Amino acid sequence: ESMHAKYLRDANAVPSDWRHYFSAVEDVSGGGPHDYSVAEPYKKDETSRGVEDRGGATLGEYEFRIASLQDRIDQLVRAYRVRGHMIARLDPLGSPREPQPELDPGHYGLTDADLARPVSARTVGGGVRIARNIVECMRNTYCRAIGVQFMHIDDLSIRHWLQDRMESSQNHIHLDVDEQVRVLTLLTRAVIFEEFVRKKYVGAKSFSLEGCESLIPLLDIAIEKAAEHGVDEIVMGMAHRGRLNVLVNVLNKRMQDVFREFEDVDPERYFGGGDIKYHLGHSSDRITSCGRPVHLSLCFNPSHLEFVNPVALGRVRAKQDRWNDAERRRATAILIHGDASFPGEGIVQESLNLSEIKAYRTGGTIHVIVNNQLGFTTSPKEGRSSLYATGVAKMLQIPIFHVNGEDPGAVAQTITLAMDFRSQFRRDAVIDMYGYRRWGHNEGDEPAFTQPLMYQAIEKRQSVRDSYLENVLKLGGMTADQASSIETRCREDLERELSVARSEEYAPRPTARGIWEGYRGGPDSEVPDSDTTVPSSRLIAILEALSTIPASFNLHPRLKKLLERRAEMAKGERPLDWSTAEALAFATLAAEGFPVRLSGQDTARGTFSQRHAVLHDVEDGSTYEPLMHIEEGQAPVRVYNSPLSEAAVLGFEYGYSLDTPEGLVLWEAQFGDFVNAAQVVIDQFIASAESKWQRLSGIVLLLPHGLEGQGPEHASARLERFLVLAAKDNMQIVNLTTPSQYFHVLRRQVLRRWRKPLIVMAPKRLLRLPAAASNLDDLADGAFRRVIGDASLPGSAVRRVLLCSGKIYYDLVERREKLESTDIAIIRVEQLYPFPANELKESLKGFDNAATAYWVQEEPENMGAWRYLRMKSGDRLPGGLRLRDVCRPESASPGTGSLACHRLEQEHLLDRAFADRREGA
């Protein structure tokens, strides 16, 4: 009796593998007469027929052959998942791709006969299928207009989810007629907008999207899908390529506004400010097809391309925190990158690294690379070492989709899958959309100089809109007349908007204030100071809360002393040190309902072991944050350690500040010197955003500063650079000398309705210097003083005035006491910008017998505040005193690496400050 006969009589009478096999053959037959001839090579008869029916092979040999076929098919399936993207048709220009041996069935010894046999499809949806059909499914899924890299993801459940979604549809989405018409309409608008601008403004730069117009329907679908997933706000970041098209056709910026910017008829509005049209941001509200509103924001962006990435991410996180959206669902970011800048700019890697870190998670970002296959004039082989522009993204456990931008259906499938992935797993996804750049880097550039062959191919290509239209017409989704009508309406709309832009009817769009209502920028002098005092009783109660931990919490013995000292401060038995004043500023603001966020490298403990905002249990490693336990109903105080990054983290916190006008948002450098690694964020955003884009920020930078012989990279926060950037009251720059000053300036930053970045030259040595202390009364009754005069001497006795800022003050005081000098006044300029001319003039009153004032600084003569002060005051200070300097000699490096040399230099500096010299010398 054959195995088949046994199976027909009683399926349970045969081994399970045979039951599985015969059942699969029935499935392949599709319900008709079962053709078991496909099983003939493997038919077994364990009794009567024997070796003859196995073609002379033993039973073991046949079992091996069955297993071998299955194994080879499984290997080929895996190869397609891993390497299928290598032969996908991604390039619209049709550049050939190298064949991949791993994707050839012959590489595994598979013959046509093998491919005609049924095999287990347990890794491809289950059941049994003809081998050839499985291979065809793999090719369709991974080797057509979409290529996918996802097998580097370690989480098996994520890989299976992606496999099921892609292979079940063979990576194809069905667009109904209405959806096809919508895609065609968007492509038409995108194409005609670019043509219209190029013809109406000949030679003007617009950084055309032509060659990558599928970006517009991609973003449209992304917004619709986001709404279906419960997203309320989308923050977008992109560089200049295609920005005008996105502004008009995605964010619904009025075309008349764009044309007005091209006309450039209001030059008086932009004296000393403004920006070019393809750097500007915009926001709008949209009602999606599902009836859900979505707020869209496109961040302003300088030409430093990818530096907008962390800014957009910070804005998203701020929105989520405002809503207490712990699942990170209600807001998301879509970042649009260039194929040259994505692998080329390190800020990309820094920003990607933030994606799964608790302090910076936003629940997944959609990254879209508009792949021109060219960076200005630089080819991919000159611009990156990786095969794809997305190589750096493989550092994350996320899928990377490569898609041919001239296949709008494939683009629709890709963005739909990416948005669903983001919603399902709260992680990033990357879409690398291949296209080309029809014109040069800008419209006046000649690309054929450097890419002649590429541009010969581009010249022969019709637009993606035209090719898609041909497909829609073939499918019968619309008629040629209907398509022509869409084009006509688009042109009429553009002409009408241009007419308005050039007419007297034009009126600028009103600016919506939103959460920024009630806050202002502008001149410092026009906004009064706020009362930053806190009653002593309140400060004492908060200090007691800060020095109390749960009884079950096992604190490090040395930190117990920290809490004991704070308890003594609450009793008035010990003066306040710097870190306690900071903690009181944070805590009092939080108790009054103002959220506080501080991040930076090693910030939770503090670089100098001074803060200890997060306490660690020495037995179980759990944490306790006293600042989060001030009182019931307080606002949060979040203190986070950041990764070893300056640019991305500062950019993130700056973005966070843009959507948190009511809170205190701070970034701390490990040492102030390291701020130079974030110079682009400072120059292009923090210092100039109000002037360029009318965007306010209250970001605070804490930059440990001061020469102490620790080497040239642990000395200077480059005070001079900030002072050079200071203009039109665009920021505040302080170098403080007491904890109470720090307390009041932090509270002023929030309580005052004036929002400007605050740059704090933070202390190192002063953190524990006994002389640099304050008492509770200084906090309860004092205020921030821009200039602190010297009332210790009668004015008539003063023969010399020393002006200084920061920690050098204590060295000067110590030297004065050592010399028992009674004729030298020491005045502290605590706020360097906006320059406190009136306060300085007031502090100099009464010094009628002093003819000269000396600015004393630790920094070399070409650094620090000296040249800025000289520029502000000339040779004479307010009140008439001549102004001279006492500085280290000019230098290319901020400070020495020899402690002994530093001390020697400091002695010489102090000697000069107190040396007898002829007045006027």
Side-chain angles (χ1 to χ4, degrees), residues 180-198:
Q180 291 178 36
V181 171
R182 184 182 182 91
V183 169
L184 179 64
T185 301
L186 290 166
L187 289 173
T188 302
R189 289 176 180 170
V191 169
I192 292 178
F193 174 80
E194 298 292 358
E195 293 176 354
F196 188 87
V197 168
R198 191 171 65 256

Side-chain angles (χ1 to χ4, degrees), residues 350-618:
E350 290 189 34
S351 300
L352 291 173
N353 188 51
L354 300 179
S355 66
E356 290 300 311
I357 298 174
K358 176 184 175 182
Y360 309 96
R361 285 195 75 244
T362 60
T365 295
I366 301 299
H367 301 268
V368 180
I369 296 176
V370 178
N371 195 333
N372 299 312
Q373 307 183 72
L374 186 61
F376 202 163
T377 66
T378 302
S379 65
K381 66 181 180 181
E382 297 171 305
R384 63 175 185 258
S385 297
S386 56
L387 172 65
Y388 293 116
T390 57
V392 67
K394 289 190 75 175
M395 66 183 284
L396 300 182
Q397 299 283 293
I398 61 173
I400 302 168
F401 303 98
H402 307 277
V403 61
N404 189 320
E406 281 206 346
D407 187 334
V411 172
Q413 161 67 7
T414 303
I415 185 59
T416 299
L417 184 55
M419 294 301 294
D420 289 348
F421 175 85
R422 187 257 173 199
S423 179
Q424 179 72 22
F425 296 104
R426 329 302 308 142
R427 297 191 185 189
D428 291 19
V430 177
I431 298 174
D432 179 15
M433 190 187 78
Y434 275 68
Y436 52 86
R437 194 186 67 201
R438 184 167 290 277
W439 311 107
H441 178 68
N442 60 64
E443 285 63 30
D445 186 42
E446 177 48 73
F449 288 160
T450 52
Q451 277 76 31
L453 299 182
M454 171 183 276
Y455 276 87
Q456 288 173 20
I458 290 173
E459 285 178 4
K460 300 173 184 176
R461 298 200 66 78
Q462 62 181 353
S463 73
V464 63
R465 181 260 182 191
D466 292 339
S467 60
Y468 188 66
L469 173 59
E470 291 176 359
N471 186 58
V472 173
L473 293 176
K474 287 178 184 177
L475 295 174
M478 63 167 27
T479 66
D481 287 343
Q482 289 172 322
S484 178
S485 177
I486 293 172
E487 182 176 350
T488 299
R489 286 198 304 271
C490 290
R491 295 188 188 281
E492 290 173 349
D493 290 344
L494 288 164
E495 289 287 358
R496 183 172 56 254
E497 291 289 297
L498 177 61
S499 177
V500 173
R502 290 175 170 174
S503 73
E504 297 297 323
E505 301 173 23
Y506 174 80
R509 177 176 175 263
T511 302
R513 298 285 294 168
I515 59 173
W516 282 91
E517 192 67 44
Y519 299 95
R520 62 170 301 174
D524 178 23
S525 59
E526 294 180 2
V527 183
D529 282 337
S530 296
D531 181 5
T532 57
T533 61
V534 179
S536 294
S537 58
R538 184 82 169 127
L539 292 170
I540 291 170
I542 289 175
L543 261 180
E544 290 172 347
L546 289 172
S547 57
T548 303
I549 60 173
S552 60
F553 195 84
N554 301 291
L555 191 62
H556 192 284
R558 290 174 62 182
L559 293 183
K560 289 180 180 179
K561 295 181 179 179
L562 169 70
L563 300 189
E564 290 170 0
R565 288 196 296 270
R566 287 189 172 174
E568 293 170 1
M569 294 174 192
K571 297 175 184 177
E573 298 172 356
R574 178 187 289 269
L576 303 177
D577 60 18
W578 210 277
S579 65
T580 303
E582 178 189 78
L584 284 171
F586 292 170
T588 54
L589 287 170
E592 293 167 30
F594 303 105
V596 177
R597 176 185 167 95
L598 166 64
S599 81
Q601 295 159 19
D602 308 295
T603 287
R605 190 204 75 172
T607 296
F608 311 101
S609 195
Q610 84 282 9
R611 182 172 289 118
H612 297 288
V614 180
L615 304 175
H616 297 260
D617 190 299
V618 295

Side-chain angles (χ1 to χ4, degrees), residues 795-866:
S796 58
V798 172
R799 298 292 185 272
R800 176 178 296 176
V801 176
L802 302 181
L803 301 175
C804 65
S805 187
K807 83 176 185 69
I808 189 67
Y809 166 75
Y810 293 97
D811 295 327
L812 293 173
V813 169
E814 182 181 11
R815 177 58 63 93
R816 184 173 67 176
E817 292 174 352
K818 181 179 179 181
L819 295 174
E820 298 182 350
S821 173
T822 59
D823 62 354
I824 298 179
I826 304 174
I827 296 174
R828 290 169 273 175
V829 181
E830 301 276 294
Q831 177 173 297
L832 291 159
Y833 191 83
F835 186 63
N838 293 334
E839 291 88 342
L840 182 57
K841 182 177 181 179
E842 186 67 26
S843 71
L844 294 171
K845 281 184 178 179
F847 299 149
D848 298 329
N849 293 324
T852 303
Y854 296 92
W855 175 259
V856 185
Q857 66 177 34
E858 295 183 298
E859 299 91 343
E861 186 270 341
N862 58 315
M863 301 178 191
W866 162 241

Side-chain angles (χ1 to χ4, degrees), residues 310-327:
V311 176
L313 296 176
R315 292 191 61 190
V316 170
R317 177 59 179 256
K319 294 174 187 293
Q320 294 170 342
D321 287 350
R322 178 185 299 280
W323 300 325
N324 293 316
D325 177 20
E327 293 186 353

Side-chain angles (χ1 to χ4, degrees), residues 650-672:
L650 177 55
F652 189 99
E653 301 305 339
Y654 172 74
Y656 197 99
S657 75
L658 295 177
D659 278 80
T660 315
E662 77 285 5
L664 183 64
V665 182
L666 311 95
W667 173 74
E668 182 177 61
Q670 189 175 67
F671 284 87

Side-chain angles (χ1 to χ4, degrees), residues 322-337:
R322 178 185 299 280
W323 300 325
N324 293 316
D325 177 20
E327 293 186 353
R328 313 291 170 203
R329 290 189 177 275
R330 294 182 57 188
T332 190
I334 299 177
L335 300 179
I336 303 165
H337 311 272

